[in-house]
Structure formats: structure tokens, C-alpha cells
Amino acid sequence: MFQLPDLPYDHAALEPVISRATMRLHHDKHHKAYVDALNTLVAEQRLAPTSLETLIARAAGDPAQTKLANNAGQAWNHAFFWTAMSPRRQTPSGALAQAITAAFGDLEGLKTAMVETGAAHFGSGWVWLAADGADLKVIATHDGDPLITHAGLTPLMVCDLWEHAYYLDHQNDRKGYLDAWFEALANWAFAQDQYATTTGLGQGWRFPEPQELGGGTAVAGGRSL
Ligand code: MN3
């Protein structure tokens, strides 16, 4: 069983950009529903995944596992999204700051790229800052597509573009939501830790490992997919 990770801060900690009411729905209802659906599919198929990352990688190329891939991707994406935000306003420094300058000119250039890419993305999805080796890229993915299925890319930060992420607080103003998110909530300390993994420092963020129930009987004889 995969567990819904707790938020790393209070539900109201991201106000006024993201309200307590949005976080109550988004984390406690939407994110939980993805994790619950994922666990149902894992149980139905008698799978015994060792990690969500492994499950995502194996489901990604299998047309028969679209539902599993969607729910696993959304479980992962939301947990990464919560972690990649902070109530404490920050700015990037060190090697990441240098990489931002090299790729986008300055922090304002990166902000413009993320806000415009996210605002222009048609429908639901995610906008990511990713490392491609030492280089940085801004990439939008559709629906539940987690960036970790894209070979060679390491996610540094992400913003949820689904309407449930911003409609209560920003109505149809996705651009305004993205602008405020980038200014106030980006967890640059976390992004720097993720960036450091591209040069071999540390392992990078991973979803909490699944916990077996009842001493493992729930997955006895299960397949690892
Ligand atoms: Mn969402």
C-alpha cells in the first residue's frame, strides 16, 4: 500500500497564493483519490511494487496499464509538487543560480518561461523546471504524465496546471496563479538539492516506499509488474 504523504506544512501555509480551502480539496481529496485508485489497481493486479518510481517506469510503456500509469503519475506528481513549494520566500543560489543565468539570462527570464509555458499549455497538466545534465529546461506535460518517464531529465520544481489547483483562488487566471506561485512559493533549497543530484550528489527526491499491511500478506505471491 502506498500512503498519502502528509503535507510538509500547514494547509494554510501557502496563503494567500493557495488557500487552505484549495489545499483541503487538493491534498486531502484529489491527491488522496489518486493514491487510493493506485492502491486499488495494485491490489486488483496482485502487484508488489518496491517503489512508486519502479511502478511508473514499468507502466509507462504498456498500453494496457494506462489507468495505473495515470494514477501512479498523479500520486507522484502531487507529492513532488507539495515538496517543491515552501511558505518561506526564497531565491536560488550557487550552481543552480549560475545554471539559471546560463539558460534563461536571469531569474526573471526563467519566470517568464515558466509562466508563459504554463499559461499556454492546453488543458490539464504540469509545468516543470528540469535539469538535462547541467542544462535547464522548462517543459509542460499533459494530464498525469510525470517527468521522470522522460529519459535524462531530473525534475527540480513543478506547478500543477489542472483547474482544481487554482480555480477557487484565481478563477480563470492561470497566468496570475503561476506568477504568484513562482514569486512566493518556489522551494529553491529543494530545487538546488535536486540539481546537485545531476552531478552525482545524492539520490534525488523519491515517493515514500509502500508499506505492507498485516505483515505482508496483502501482497503475498504478488508480482513486481
Ligand atoms: Mn492537482
Side-chain angles (χ1 to χ4, degrees):
M1 290 269 294
F2 291 99
Q3 310 292 317
L4 175 69
D6 290 334
L7 288 173
Y9 32 70
D10 185 81
H11 285 78
L14 306 182
E15 291 187 342
V17 179
I18 302 176
S19 66
R20 179 197 297 270
T22 290
M23 292 303 283
R24 286 272 177 223
L25 286 168
H26 201 177
H27 173 268
D28 303 3
K29 305 293 185 188
H30 286 279
H31 192 190
K32 181 177 187 298
Y34 293 125
V35 174
D36 288 348
L38 167 66
N39 282 323
T40 299
L41 291 162
V42 166
E44 281 174 2
Q45 299 186 38
R46 299 185 59 75
L47 304 175
T50 54
S51 73
L52 186 55
E53 289 78 12
T54 308
L55 191 70
I56 286 170
R58 292 182 181 169
D62 186 347
Q65 293 289 10
T66 302
K67 198 171 170 187
L68 182 68
N70 285 340
N71 285 287
Q74 286 294 74
W76 198 95
N77 288 349
H78 283 90
F80 188 90
F81 179 46
W82 313 137
T83 306
M85 289 191 285
S86 169
R88 187 173 61 83
R89 193 178 286 247
Q90 308 172 19
T91 52
S93 60
L96 178 58
Q98 291 173 14
I100 289 169
T101 302
F104 302 99
D106 55 18
L107 189 60
E108 199 60 28
L110 169 59
K111 179 183 171 184
T112 299
M114 290 203 79
V115 170
E116 290 187 354
T117 301
H121 180 76
F122 190 80
S124 296
W126 301 81
V127 62
W128 306 80
L129 175 62
D132 183 358
D135 196 15
L136 298 181
K137 290 179 176 170
V138 171
I139 297 166
T141 60
H142 281 280
D143 302 325
D145 182 4
L147 196 74
I148 53 172
T149 57
H150 299 246
L153 297 179
T154 303
L156 308 185
M157 56 194 286
V158 71
C159 192
D160 191 336
L161 303 176
W162 289 58
E163 288 181 347
H164 66 231
Y166 61 89
Y167 234 77
L168 280 182
D169 303 320
H170 302 270
Q171 287 81 51
N172 60 329
D173 185 12
R174 185 192 281 183
K175 194 167 188 289
Y177 154 69
L178 283 162
D179 193 277
W181 158 80
F182 188 93
E183 286 289 329
L185 302 180
N187 186 347
W188 289 112
F190 174 75
Q192 281 162 219
D193 287 346
Q194 286 292 102
Y195 187 64
T197 68
T198 64
T199 52
L201 296 173
Q203 205 193 12
W205 184 88
R206 293 171 67 83
F207 194 91
E209 287 183 6
Q211 304 295 314
E212 293 186 3
L213 292 178
T217 52
V219 292
R223 297 182 291 121
S224 63
L225 186 66

